[in-house]
Amino acid sequence: MKSNVNNMSTLPTSAPPAAKGNVQAWIYDQIFAAILEQRLAPDTKLAEDTLGEIFGVSRTVIRTVLQRLSHDHVVEIRPNRGAVVASLSIEEVRDVFEARRVIENGAIELACQRREKNDISVLKSLVEKEQAAFEGNDKGAWIRLSGEFHLALANIAGNETLGDTLRSLVSRTSLAISQYETPGQSACSQKEHFAIIDAIDAGDVKAAQHEMTQHLAECEAKLDLDEQENGTDLRAIFSNVRVNNEKSGNLI
Amino acid sequence: MKSNVNNMSTLPTSAPPAAKGNVQAWIYDQIFAAILEQRLAPDTKLAEDTLGEIFGVSRTVIRTVLQRLSHDHVVEIRPNRGAVVASLSIEEVRDVFEARRVIENGAIELACQRREKNDISVLKSLVEKEQAAFEGNDKGAWIRLSGEFHLALANIAGNETLGDTLRSLVSRTSLAISQYETPGQSACSQKEHFAIIDAIDAGDVKAAQHEMTQHLAECEAKLDLDEQENGTDLRAIFSNVRVNNEKSGNLI
DNA sequence: ACAGAAAATATTGTATCCAAAACAAATTAC
DNA sequence: GTAATTTGTTTTGGATACAATATTTTCTGT
């Protein structure tokens, strides 16, 4: 009842259609995976009717799936205006990384207390798979496996609540990457992952936390998070400009 | 755009019916508040039809609301068997408190960095309201305000993601209390809240974290979390008993 | 030709309807 | 009388129909 391998919080993969009755879960996974693997870009409209036709179900079930996805912060539902693939503001991306630092360092503390013999080897084999995907240029698999490593870590911590929270944050990190990544910058994070594993293996909480903090900071640094022309800031950028329209006609 | 007072993650209160169009949000708040204030006990069945009649809407909107509540882990939806007020296992309660320790200690670190002049007084007035509710024996308000304090703290930390996560955890804590509280044990947590505030006011991260850890541990200790006869363990408890039915007739 | 208004179209929100599953009751077999 | 099966009722899951709200297109006046 308190094993480390059951009920693991995992990321959706493009699994087979599943048995009957699970259509809903299957569609959920399909859309989720498409977003995480960046086949659906942020702000893409997700019309209920269209999706219903694609998956051969009515709007009803699409609607519940979209609601679940919006709870995961992976799609955004705007009242009366439908759902779109979520788009994170720079502020939100910073928050997500900060939250991850807090939660994952907490998870490390617990993982060091509760780790069992073969936990470390499980982690290592995950990172090896990740490395293979990276070297094979399978970006989708790489992003997914990279997240899977962090979830496996939370899993060793043995706290399902914390694991679920992290799952949501990891998904949003993938979204953030697809939105803000800088072209050539996909460096190998596996080295950092191995460093974290080694510190945990040695039972050195502080060191592991330091590596994790470092790792997350590097991930964030690889993104292009400089404030630039967003729709909302357009006004500020052109604050010096004064145009002759009827409302500001008395100025200048 | 980065104020500490806007977009605060808050607990639902029995607010007025709201404008038109927001019926859904209103019903959500009504049910949520009823659960948090313990007017709806864990495992209470929440039939779609009944709720629809009560609130004068169709099952469709009730279903949406129940789905949202289940995302918050406040109700549980069992496939083909409807929704009930969520009931936490002892394991889950422990996880929730552990997760809160991790997240709230992280929030304290951030709050100490980012606190502004009147943040402390806001916290203090919240705890004073809490004390009033406690002394006035208004248990519903007390539980809500007690949670509100923790959310205000996360709010000062200025990380909305962390705040949302904590909101969910605080709700589940209320549920845990209603399920596992020991009769006479509702001691005043206000003293501990004030201690946390003072430490933050002094900018002493370590001390504040220590107080928080202590506070959460005391809350958890007030609950009756001893393993006892759960339905699942009945079999183990009566493992010595052998009854004469056709299947075990050959034994004894 | 362009801006604004108005009509047409498309999409979401809600209610209702039907099918499938779960639950409760009653009947039957032993 | 008890256990199991069958029947009837209730409740959920999903599809469709209709209403309300956006969005797009067309039309009109300057």
Side-chain angles (χ1 to χ4, degrees):
Chain A
M1 214 35 167
K2 44 171 49 187
S3 159
N4 278 343
V5 293
N6 296 331
N7 276 91
M8 177 169 166
S9 186
T10 170
L11 257 23
T13 171
S14 315
K20 75 150 197 178
N22 294 41
V23 236
Q24 188 155 310
W26 175 65
I27 297 174
Y28 171 86
D29 284 351
Q30 286 291 319
I31 299 178
F32 205 142
I35 293 175
L36 290 201
E37 289 168 10
Q38 311 187 356
R39 307 200 309 273
L40 281 172
D43 286 314
T44 305
K45 181 83 194 288
L46 301 172
E48 297 177 355
D49 235 335
T50 313
L51 288 170
E53 282 169 22
I54 290 173
F55 291 104
V57 295
S58 81
R59 281 176 51 212
T60 312
V61 44
I62 297 293
R63 181 167 266 272
T64 44
V65 168
L66 289 176
Q67 273 157 6
R68 282 181 60 196
L69 289 167
S70 96
H71 176 258
D72 297 326
H73 290 101
V74 163
V75 318
E76 185 189 348
I77 295 180
R78 306 155 303 174
N80 286 318
R81 309 200 40 227
V84 292
V85 177
S87 145
L88 295 153
S89 72
I90 291 169
E91 184 85 4
E92 284 172 317
V93 176
R94 294 220 155 90
D95 277 6
V96 166
F97 275 103
E98 194 168 76
R100 281 189 64 167
R101 183 173 58 78
V102 166
I103 287 165
E104 303 212 53
N105 280 341
I108 282 176
E109 182 195 326
L110 298 170
C112 283
Q113 292 168 18
R114 295 173 189 164
R115 87 209 118 111
E116 292 167 12
K117 14 192 178 312
N118 63 343
D119 284 339
I120 297 296
S121 55
V122 169
L123 286 180
K124 278 185 178 165
S125 76
L126 253 174
V127 181
E128 276 157 15
K129 271 192 227 165
E130 181 197 336
Q131 189 141 28
F134 179 76
E135 286 165 358
N137 280 322
D138 186 349
K139 191 174 172 190
W142 172 58
I143 290 183
R144 192 172 54 76
L145 285 164
S146 171
E148 214 81 64
F149 164 76
H150 289 264
L151 294 182
L153 191 44
N155 190 49
I156 293 171
N159 188 315
E160 208 172 321
T161 300
L162 226 40
D164 286 348
T165 305
L166 186 59
R167 190 182 79 96
S168 172
L169 294 177
V170 168
S171 309
R172 292 170 82 186
T173 306
S174 297
L175 265 181
I177 291 174
S178 86
Q179 249 188 284
Y180 293 105
E181 73 182 335
T182 53
Q185 280 281 32
S186 58
C188 70
S189 56
Q190 294 90 306
K191 217 179 294 178
E192 290 156 39
H193 284 179
F194 277 124
I196 295 169
I197 294 175
D198 288 339
I200 291 174
D201 193 16
D204 190 340
V205 176
K206 290 283 171 202
Q209 288 179 334
H210 180 258
E211 292 294 341
M212 177 63 81
T213 303
Q214 205 70 17
H215 171 49
L216 291 172
E218 300 220 4
C219 285
E220 188 177 348
K222 274 175 206 146
L223 302 182
D224 182 22
L225 294 181
D226 303 317
E227 306 276 352
Q228 51 199 5
E229 72 287 348
N230 286 340
T232 49
D233 286 12
L234 267 183
R235 204 172 295 274
I237 290 168
F238 297 113
S239 60
N240 56 329
V241 180
R242 284 289 174 279
V243 187
N244 263 9
N245 61 39
E246 60 274 26
K247 291 201 172 173
S248 61
N250 46 354
L251 295 177
I252 202 185
Chain B
M1 217 30 169
K2 44 169 53 184
S3 158
N4 277 344
V5 293
N6 296 331
N7 275 91
M8 177 170 166
S9 187
T10 170
L11 258 23
T13 171
S14 314
K20 75 152 195 174
N22 294 42
V23 235
Q24 189 155 308
W26 175 66
I27 296 174
Y28 171 87
D29 283 351
Q30 287 290 320
I31 299 178
F32 205 144
I35 293 175
L36 290 200
E37 290 167 10
Q38 310 187 355
R39 306 199 309 273
L40 281 173
D43 286 316
T44 305
K45 181 81 194 288
L46 301 172
E48 297 177 356
D49 233 337
T50 313
L51 287 171
E53 283 169 20
I54 290 173
F55 291 104
V57 295
S58 81
R59 281 175 52 211
T60 313
V61 44
I62 297 292
R63 289 193 43 176
T64 315
V65 168
L66 289 177
Q67 274 158 8
R68 282 182 59 196
L69 288 166
S70 93
H71 291 148
D72 296 326
H73 291 101
V74 163
V75 318
E76 185 189 348
I77 295 181
R78 304 156 304 173
N80 286 319
R81 308 200 39 228
V84 293
V85 177
S87 145
L88 295 151
S89 72
I90 291 171
E91 184 85 2
E92 284 172 318
V93 176
R94 294 219 156 91
D95 278 5
V96 166
F97 275 103
E98 194 169 77
R100 281 189 64 167
R101 182 173 60 78
V102 166
I103 287 165
E104 302 211 52
N105 281 341
I108 282 175
E109 181 195 327
L110 299 170
C112 283
Q113 292 168 17
R114 294 172 190 165
R115 85 207 121 110
E116 292 166 14
K117 16 192 177 310
N118 63 343
D119 284 338
I120 298 295
S121 54
V122 168
L123 285 179
K124 279 185 177 165
S125 75
L126 253 175
V127 181
E128 277 157 15
K129 272 193 224 164
E130 182 196 336
Q131 189 142 30
F134 179 75
E135 287 165 358
N137 279 323
D138 185 349
K139 191 174 170 188
W142 171 58
I143 290 182
R144 193 172 53 76
L145 285 164
S146 172
E148 213 81 64
F149 164 76
H150 289 264
L151 294 182
L153 190 45
N155 190 49
I156 293 171
N159 188 316
E160 207 172 320
T161 300
L162 227 39
D164 286 348
T165 305
L166 186 59
R167 189 181 82 96
S168 172
L169 294 177
V170 167
S171 311
R172 292 171 83 185
T173 306
S174 297
L175 265 180
I177 292 174
S178 85
Q179 250 188 283
Y180 293 104
E181 74 183 334
T182 52
Q185 280 281 31
S186 57
C188 70
S189 58
Q190 294 89 307
K191 217 180 295 179
E192 291 157 38
H193 283 178
F194 277 123
I196 295 169
I197 295 176
D198 288 339
I200 292 175
D201 193 15
D204 189 341
V205 176
K206 289 283 173 205
Q209 288 179 335
H210 181 259
E211 292 293 341
M212 176 64 81
T213 303
Q214 204 71 18
H215 171 49
L216 291 173
E218 301 222 3
C219 285
E220 189 177 349
K222 275 175 204 146
L223 302 182
D224 182 22
L225 294 181
D226 303 317
E227 306 276 351
Q228 50 200 4
E229 72 287 349
N230 288 339
T232 49
D233 286 12
L234 267 182
R235 203 170 295 274
I237 289 170
F238 297 113
S239 59
N240 56 329
V241 180
R242 284 287 175 278
V243 187
N244 262 9
N245 60 42
E246 60 274 28
K247 291 201 172 172
S248 61
N250 46 353
L251 294 177
I252 199 181

